[in-house]
Amino acid sequence: MALSSLLFLSLIACLEKDQRGLGDSADTALSDADGGPGGADGGDDTGWWNEDSGDDTGWWSDSGSGDNGGADNDDDGWTVDDGDCDDGDAAIHPGADESGCDGDDDDCDGEIDEGFDGDEYEPNDVDGYSLGDMGDEGDEVLISWLWPQTDEDRFLFYVEDGDWSWFDIEIWLYDVPEDADYGMELRLVEDIDGDYIGVVGSADDRSDGGDELVEYGGSTGFDDSGWYEVVIYSTDGASCDDPYTLQVLVGSW
């Protein structure tokens, strides 16, 4: 056989040997698709390019071990991609009930307990809840909440007075949460002539917790009958866990 033919056959044998060695390697090929340890069979791929679902540490991977936002891990019908902000709790997802006071963002809207409905006097942020006619002598005690901090609670009541009778209103605010500062205003919103008078008393000791008191004695020789409104507001903090107690005392003799 000619020397050139022998050299050619030797070259072919070397190439075949190299190819077999390349196929047996797990992690050195640029692209593995032969079904070997580094191929498309889910093996451990550390090459520059692969297209399996194994542990991908190369420069490019079509799936790898990234965040699977399409899974519904808590079986609540919502995935992370759908907006589920806690895919480990089936009670938390977009549209979930937010009426309780649990300290969680149940409906994933970025707010906590904003739908709290434990306060029977709400909504009284703008239009006051009416306590009715307090008569010549009245004593009303109620329990309510300020929540969220921007909330304002308004309570209306009517007082009957006379030109020369003795007249007094006391508004007590008890059980202010220890980490909050609440204030009060008493307003005469409609006097005997139907006019709006405005703030006639206020209280805010500018400290957390404690009690607040507003007193209004009216004017001697003047009929102070009318609709009054007490406004409760927060200057610092609020809680749907801790209600306050409001007492309205009226005396007119």
Side-chain angles (χ1 to χ4, degrees), residues 60-81:
W60 182 92
S61 169
D62 64 334
S63 57
S65 57
D67 181 25
N68 190 359
D72 182 11
N73 296 313
D74 55 12
D75 296 322
D76 61 2
W78 296 82
T79 68
V80 172
D81 287 346

Side-chain angles (χ1 to χ4, degrees), residues 80-98:
V80 172
D81 287 346
D82 294 331
D84 194 338
C85 53
D86 187 347
D87 203 28
D89 189 335
I92 299 178
H93 56 76
D97 181 20
E98 189 70 271

Side-chain angles (χ1 to χ4, degrees), residues 11-215:
L11 178 61
I12 293 298
C14 289
L15 288 175
E16 289 177 349
K17 180 179 180 181
D18 289 343
Q19 288 175 346
R20 286 195 300 271
L22 184 62
D24 292 337
S25 174
D27 302 303
T28 57
L30 271 66
S31 173
D32 298 317
D34 61 350
D41 60 349
D44 180 16
D45 303 308
T46 56
W48 293 358
W49 181 92
N50 61 77
E51 54 182 359
D52 61 17
S53 57
D55 180 16
D56 303 309
T57 57
W59 290 4
W60 182 92
S61 169
D62 64 334
S63 57
S65 57
D67 181 25
N68 190 359
D72 182 11
N73 296 313
D74 55 12
D75 296 322
D76 61 2
W78 296 82
T79 68
V80 172
D81 287 346
D82 294 331
D84 194 338
C85 53
D86 187 347
D87 203 28
D89 189 335
I92 299 178
H93 56 76
D97 181 20
E98 189 70 271
S99 61
C101 180
D102 58 9
D104 293 326
D105 179 13
D106 298 298
D107 58 2
C108 298
D109 65 351
E111 299 182 67
I112 296 176
D113 297 334
E114 77 280 2
F116 170 66
D117 65 358
D119 190 344
E120 63 179 296
Y121 303 107
E122 290 287 351
N124 60 344
D125 310 56
V126 178
D127 297 323
Y129 181 91
S130 178
L131 302 177
D133 189 346
M134 300 288 287
D136 293 334
E137 183 177 0
D139 184 353
E140 188 80 29
V141 178
L142 54 91
I143 296 175
S144 188
W145 287 259
L146 275 185
W147 183 258
Q149 186 172 327
T150 55
D151 185 24
E152 286 189 350
D153 287 350
R154 300 168 183 265
F155 299 94
L156 291 165
F157 56 94
Y158 187 81
V159 175
E160 186 69 38
D161 187 26
D163 289 340
W164 300 103
S165 61
W166 179 81
F167 175 86
D168 183 63
I169 296 176
E170 289 185 9
I171 311 294
W172 285 93
L173 180 62
Y174 305 113
D175 304 322
V176 175
E178 292 299 324
D179 57 352
D181 177 31
Y182 292 176
M184 288 193 299
E185 286 185 351
L186 178 64
R187 303 171 181 175
L188 178 53
V189 295
E190 186 178 311
D191 69 3
I192 192 66
D193 298 318
D195 296 328
Y196 177 83
I197 303 301
V199 177
V200 296
S202 64
D204 182 5
D205 63 8
R206 295 293 177 178
S207 63
D208 291 349
D211 304 331
E212 302 285 357
L213 169 64
V214 172
E215 291 186 278

